Amino acid sequence: MIDQIRGLHHVTSMARDARLNNIFFTQALGLRRVKKTVNFDAPDVYHLYYADEAGTPGTVMTYFPFPGMARGTPGTGEVGTTAFSVPEGSLGYWEERLGQHAVGDVKRDTLFGEPRLSFKGPDGDGFVLVETAGDKRTPWTGNGVGADVAIRGFHSVAMRLQDTAGMNYLLGLMGYEEIAKEGNVHRYRIKGEGNGADFVDIEVLPLMNPARQGAGSVHHVAFAVDDRAAQLAVREELTSAGVPITPVIDRDYFYAIYFRTPGGVLFEIATNEPGFDRDEDRAHLGEALKLPSQHEHLRAHLEQTLQPIEA
Ligand code: ZN
């Protein structure tokens, strides 16, 4: 049994405009940009990371902004909603703040007894803020959102699937247990010690077509393990269960392995080491353009061609 997974590590999505993406996450949601780098596999595209002060796993929302990319068509086989945890009683503040930032489709509802505020990102990306009791994680307050209301990190992701069978088995293998069901939503929680981003939901939609990915779509969701030894142990367990999984890939700030899950959602297992302060001071995270060594020779070209993102 896999018992090394600690919850979510990061969620990576796609956008059509880097500047609007940066404004949305730093100004509307008040997260900290902790890294400005490029897509290691397509270095003419940014990879932007938004998180708490340090980029703690379980708080890290990342984006590939492909200039002018067409919007995705929501469907099954993808993460439909990314949920952030906020303190109890804070949704009134958020409703007003999101309104001031002209954020679309802001609505209140309740799921599993927790009050939520759902809204859309700049490309129709699905988000919710969930009032969570007793989330002890320290929020980033450097962008003008007070500690009494600020985002603590992820609460969960909700995947849209046509059925639960394969995913139910896989999540069980990964150390999750199903703890509740409401309507067509199944909720899973990590059994061992989590990092706060402890939940995964499956939204069962048997009649919905598969998604066509584009701007506003979640590209993949990553789960956290402490270190490379834990990652190799997880890789071995998944491989023996018949899951086709990539070799370990060095992403500079963590090590990654990837696999396509039953139903089509792309999963990653990422290490908590070495972290986002490996190449810049904690006080200045996310300010300078950081390039992996294999793309450093492109710096002059990229500095000229990448879209300026400061508002
Ligand atoms: Zn990733």
Side-chain angles (χ1 to χ4, degrees), residues 10 12 47 62 220 222 254 256 258 268:
H10 64 269
T12 294
H47 196 177
T62 99
H220 63 268
F254 48 86
Y258 302 87
E268 173 184 344

Side-chain angles (χ1 to χ4, degrees), residues 44 56 69 89 96 153 167 198 205 250 277 293 304 311:
D44 53 336
T56 308
M69 183 187 224
E96 199 179 318
M167 183 59 81
D198 296 346
L205 296 155
D250 182 356
D277 57 0
S293 54
Q304 281 209 328

Side-chain angles (χ1 to χ4, degrees), residues 48 74 77 88 99 130-131 138 149 198 209 228 260 273 307:
L48 303 175
E88 288 181 294
V130 183
E131 287 193 359
T138 305
V149 290
D198 296 346
N209 286 323
R228 299 188 72 185
R260 189 69 65 178
E273 58 174 13
Q307 181 190 3

Side-chain angles (χ1 to χ4, degrees), residues 17-210:
D17 187 294
R19 193 178 137 273
L20 293 181
N21 184 254
N22 184 65
I23 290 172
F24 181 77
F25 283 97
T26 61
Q27 295 183 20
L29 297 187
L31 299 182
R32 183 183 199 194
R33 192 178 71 231
V34 293
K35 196 61 65 182
K36 181 167 74 169
T37 182
V38 294
N39 183 327
F40 287 15
D41 304 316
D44 53 336
V45 172
Y46 278 120
H47 196 177
L48 303 175
Y49 291 74
Y50 309 98
D52 68 356
E53 179 180 11
T56 308
T59 76
V60 186
M61 185 77 221
T62 99
Y63 269 85
F64 299 133
F66 291 92
M69 183 187 224
R71 250 188 205 198
T73 304
T76 54
E78 65 178 359
V79 169
T81 308
T82 303
F84 294 100
S85 164
V86 294
E88 288 181 294
S90 66
L91 290 187
Y93 167 87
W94 282 108
E95 205 162 15
E96 199 179 318
R97 185 178 181 92
L98 296 180
Q100 284 162 358
H101 286 271
V103 171
D105 288 0
V106 181
K107 288 186 204 104
R108 292 232 199 184
D109 67 1
T110 301
L111 186 66
F112 299 112
E114 293 168 324
R116 318 189 319 161
L117 192 65
S118 62
F119 55 100
K120 297 283 192 244
D123 299 298
D125 337 32
F127 293 110
V128 293
L129 300 175
V130 183
E131 287 193 359
T132 312
D135 189 335
K136 297 281 191 293
R137 293 176 288 176
T138 305
W140 169 250
T141 54
N143 284 337
V145 179
D148 55 330
V149 290
I151 288 173
R152 267 46 186 171
F154 293 122
H155 170 281
S156 56
V157 290
M159 297 179 275
R160 288 187 290 247
L161 296 174
Q162 287 179 338
D163 65 74
T164 60
M167 183 59 81
N168 180 62
Y169 182 82
L170 175 66
L171 288 173
L173 182 66
M174 290 171 62
Y176 283 82
E177 63 182 339
E178 185 171 350
I179 56 165
K181 180 174 183 293
E182 182 173 327
N184 65 332
V185 183
H186 298 249
R187 171 152 293 179
Y188 295 78
R189 183 177 59 203
I190 195 76
K191 272 192 268 186
E193 191 192 332
N195 60 15
D198 296 346
F199 301 98
V200 172
D201 291 349
I202 300 178
E203 205 182 341
V204 186
L205 296 155
L207 302 180
M208 194 178 198
N209 286 323

